Amino acid sequence: MVEQYNLYIVVLSIIIAIIASLLSLTNASNLSNAKGKSKLFWLVSGSIVMGLGIWSMHFIGMIAYHPHIQVSYNVWITSLSLVVSILSSFIAFYVTMPKIIPRYRIVVGGVMMGSGIVIMHYLGMAAMEMDAQINYNSTLVVLSVLIAFIASYVAVILFIRFRNQAGSKWLKSLSAIVMGVAIAGMHYTGMAAVSIEFDHSVSDPTNIPTNHFLLYGVTIIVIVILLVSWGTMIFDRHVLNKIAYQDTVTQLSNRNALNKYFNTNQDSGHVSVLFLDLDSFKSVNDTLGHQVGDELLETVGLILHRHSHEGIQGYRIGGDEFILLINHSDKERIEQLAAEILEEINQPFEVDNKPLYISASIGISLGIPHQKKGMKILEEADIAMYKAKESGKNQYAFFTEAMGEERIRRIILEHDLRRAIENEQLFILYQPKFNIKTSSIVGVEALTRWQHPKYGYVSPMEFITMAEETNYIMELTEWTLEKAFVQATEWSRMGISLPIAINLSIKFIENKNVKGIFEEMLSKYKLDPSYLEVEITETVMYSNMEQIIQQMNQLRQLGIRVSMDDFGTGYSSISLLNTLPLDTIKLDKTFIDNIDDKNKQVIIGGILSMAEQLNLSVVTEGIETKDEEEILTCLGGYLVQGYYYSKPTNAAGVLKMIREQKGVHL
């Protein structure tokens, strides 16, 4: 007798394979965006759906197959085939789960899934129990195996394709059809390889009873596929979304949700962004505790919730940073919204029945259709937010192209600063210190300068701050020290006794063995320590005073003088001058501003008199006019720095000034 197929059931098996493929592709997309335990959930559920789909397709195909003989199935072998199908799908998903996948992993994933399909199919055939002998056409068997591996490789490629980006619905559906037909093609090619030799003929094939075990088993599996898929949708919507995409403190959407939005809305140029950051939030956490900080964040979250409605969505993306996405670019409406939010945040926040006032800074980037991508708009709003902070905080700022250029400039400078030394872009200028009484140079201050090949002269206020923030200040300070030692050594050989002062930052003092560095250099250059002086800012003394005092005492023991720069600009207490290891204090330029004011003169005179009693030298900075010099001289100040005498100059300029002095012994 010739074996027959029930065409309707064959079509049903192909439909089951397509549905399973479509559900697996959907799970692959969810797997890409999942984090932590939710990633494991989508991995397991996707493997179950794919494995059950392939298995049920096979056995629905077996129900469609009529060999005109009664057939039963071994329960254990049939169950084993089910396990193999699910396990191979799991391994294929697992090995291709990383974001960046080398080609060999794709091949391994395809091989594992293909092997699972082949083993499952031929285990299913081995599970058949009947009074007949099954023979195989080796050519068709090999062809079925090739189809299984090719179909599996294509399936893995499609999983990766839909995992990394959403794609259009029709393309995903078309891919599912290709996968389903390919899986079914393997099954029916494998069945075409089968020929059955009957031990005896069946007298009435129409009376062969239905295989209820197989029918019920497949029915249950199909129901399980639907239940798993339905359950994952419910779980994803009501549980995983809340875990993965909702902030637990404010109940706003979180950074994952924001990333998902931009990843799945590649043409989101029409979206405008408000980037909100609380001002001085860290100090609230540090002084009042994290519980108060969380309550403050909850309050801000409630404010953004009130403004979130159709077309506006709020997010907390970490710490005290919040985002509002707005589906329009009406500048006036957005400006009004930003002003309302700032006003609401400015309302007093109650802590222990006491009002706590906070503020925020908001950066705004307006989306222009087809010109800006979503993440680009977010970056622009971030830049504008920092500009609002720099402008005084508690305000909003719109992004401008100039801000973008400023950010690009900073990125380039940060990158190039680390190469400035090896590219010989840095150089030293010297600011002379003068003694008015003798009209002579009594020392110089070494000042590091940077000539950038693109931006030209870069202000030290800009690149020194940058070096502090990036910790490059340590390398920069060591380079400056080396240059100062070389120059001091050269001058000493010329018989010029001119101490060079070097500025030391707090990070350098805290992270370096300052005494050891100076000892090594003094030994290397065989230099008298009297040729050197270090300058520290007043605020440095209050960072870690005990450590600073210890390091400065060690330098003084080596014979190196210590000077406090910018005296009077920070939080110094005059009463501490007796205990600090200092040789010199430098009065900041702010003392010279409006020096004709009698009160200013009393203060300067008092400092000069007190310093004399403490055996401290006083250098007054910022002298720019003859009148300022005369007033200072009357008050008893004789050591000065300022443009009135000389701008910072190179070593040759210093030598020229020395040669122009007559009868001066240095």
Side-chain angles (χ1 to χ4, degrees), residues 135-328:
N135 297 316
Y136 292 97
N137 181 307
S138 58
T139 301
L140 290 176
V141 169
V142 171
L143 180 60
S144 71
V145 172
L146 288 175
I147 292 174
F149 282 110
I150 293 172
S152 299
Y153 183 77
V154 171
V156 170
I157 294 294
L158 292 174
F159 288 152
I160 296 170
R161 160 71 175 80
F162 287 104
R163 183 197 64 184
N164 292 332
Q165 52 181 308
S168 59
K169 292 182 179 179
W170 70 266
L171 184 58
K172 185 185 291 187
S173 300
L174 180 62
S175 300
I177 292 172
V178 171
M179 285 174 59
V181 171
I183 293 170
M186 177 273 156
H187 170 80
Y188 290 109
T189 302
M191 292 304 297
V194 172
S195 62
I196 299 177
E197 294 182 4
F198 299 103
D199 292 338
H200 57 274
S201 62
V202 179
S203 58
D204 187 4
T206 60
N207 291 329
I208 296 175
T210 302
N211 191 317
H212 294 288
F213 163 73
L214 190 58
L215 179 61
Y216 293 152
V218 171
T219 302
I220 290 171
I221 292 299
V222 172
I223 292 173
V224 169
I225 291 175
L226 296 176
L227 287 176
V228 169
S229 301
W230 179 71
T232 54
M233 286 181 5
I234 298 294
F235 190 67
D236 179 45
R237 184 172 301 171
H238 297 288
V239 179
L240 290 182
N241 266 330
K242 188 171 183 179
I243 295 174
Y245 301 114
Q246 189 177 69
D247 178 57
T248 57
V249 176
T250 63
Q251 307 309 309
L252 292 169
S253 299
N254 62 12
R255 181 182 290 274
N256 292 335
L258 184 66
N259 291 338
K260 181 180 180 182
Y261 175 86
F262 284 129
N263 289 336
T264 56
N265 293 272
Q266 295 295 326
D267 297 323
S268 57
H270 63 285
V271 175
S272 299
V273 173
L274 265 66
F275 196 120
L276 183 149
D277 184 272
L278 297 181
D279 299 326
S280 305
F281 178 72
K282 185 178 184 299
S283 64
V284 174
N285 267 341
D286 292 344
T287 57
L288 301 177
H290 289 278
Q291 182 177 351
V292 173
D294 285 348
E295 291 177 9
L296 183 57
L297 294 174
E298 287 177 20
T299 301
V300 177
L302 289 174
I303 292 172
L304 297 188
H305 270 298
R306 286 198 295 270
H307 289 280
S308 297
H309 48 75
E310 185 176 356
I312 300 179
Q313 177 65 46
Y315 299 82
R316 180 192 173 206
I317 60 173
D320 58 337
E321 295 180 334
F322 298 84
I323 293 288
L324 273 183
L325 290 184
I326 307 166
N327 288 327
H328 59 78

Side-chain angles (χ1 to χ4, degrees), residues 474-604:
M474 267 80 80
E475 186 174 346
L476 190 62
T477 302
E478 289 189 7
W479 178 85
T480 304
L481 280 173
E482 189 82 33
K483 292 294 184 182
F485 268 88
V486 170
Q487 188 60 64
T489 302
E490 182 179 339
W491 282 341
S492 69
R493 289 171 181 168
M494 297 170 64
I496 299 173
S497 177
L498 199 63
I500 299 178
I502 306 106
N503 291 281
L504 299 185
S505 74
I506 178 60
K507 286 191 175 181
F508 186 82
I509 296 172
E510 288 181 340
N511 293 281
K512 295 289 186 177
N513 177 7
V514 178
K515 178 187 176 184
I517 291 174
F518 275 84
E519 280 183 324
E520 182 180 343
M521 287 193 175
L522 287 170
S523 174
K524 175 181 177 181
Y525 291 99
K526 297 179 172 38
L527 185 67
D528 190 316
S530 63
Y531 283 85
L532 297 169
E533 183 178 2
V534 298
E535 292 188 5
I536 55 176
T537 61
E538 176 186 316
T539 51
V540 164
M541 302 299 295
Y542 289 85
S543 176
N544 186 342
M545 186 178 294
E546 185 177 341
Q547 180 184 3
I548 302 298
I549 290 175
Q550 180 183 4
Q551 298 247 39
M552 296 304 100
N553 275 324
Q554 290 174 348
L555 288 179
R556 295 183 79 201
Q557 289 168 7
L558 292 176
I560 297 170
R561 293 173 60 84
V562 177
S563 173
M564 179 188 286
D565 198 10
D566 301 331
F567 179 80
T569 60
Y571 308 98
S572 67
S573 171
I574 292 177
S575 63
L576 289 175
L577 289 178
N578 187 46
T579 60
L580 297 177
L582 298 173
D583 298 289
T584 304
I585 58 175
K586 297 180 72 174
L587 284 184
D588 187 71
K589 185 183 183 302
T590 54
F591 285 93
I592 299 304
D593 296 337
N594 302 316
I595 195 173
D596 54 346
D597 182 273
K598 296 298 182 182
N599 292 331
K600 272 274 185 78
Q601 294 177 20
V602 170
I603 294 172
I604 295 173

Side-chain angles (χ1 to χ4, degrees), residues 621-663:
E621 299 180 291
I623 303 295
E624 296 182 357
T625 67
K626 180 65 174 177
D627 290 342
E628 290 173 349
E629 180 191 67
E630 290 177 351
I631 294 173
L632 181 65
T633 303
C634 291
L635 294 173
Y638 301 102
L639 300 178
V640 294
Q641 269 184 280
Y643 281 15
Y644 178 68
Y645 307 98
S646 172
K647 292 182 179 180
T649 184
N650 56 25
V654 173
L655 284 178
K656 182 180 179 182
M657 282 187 282
I658 293 174
R659 291 191 184 106
E660 290 174 352
Q661 297 170 4
K662 296 180 181 180

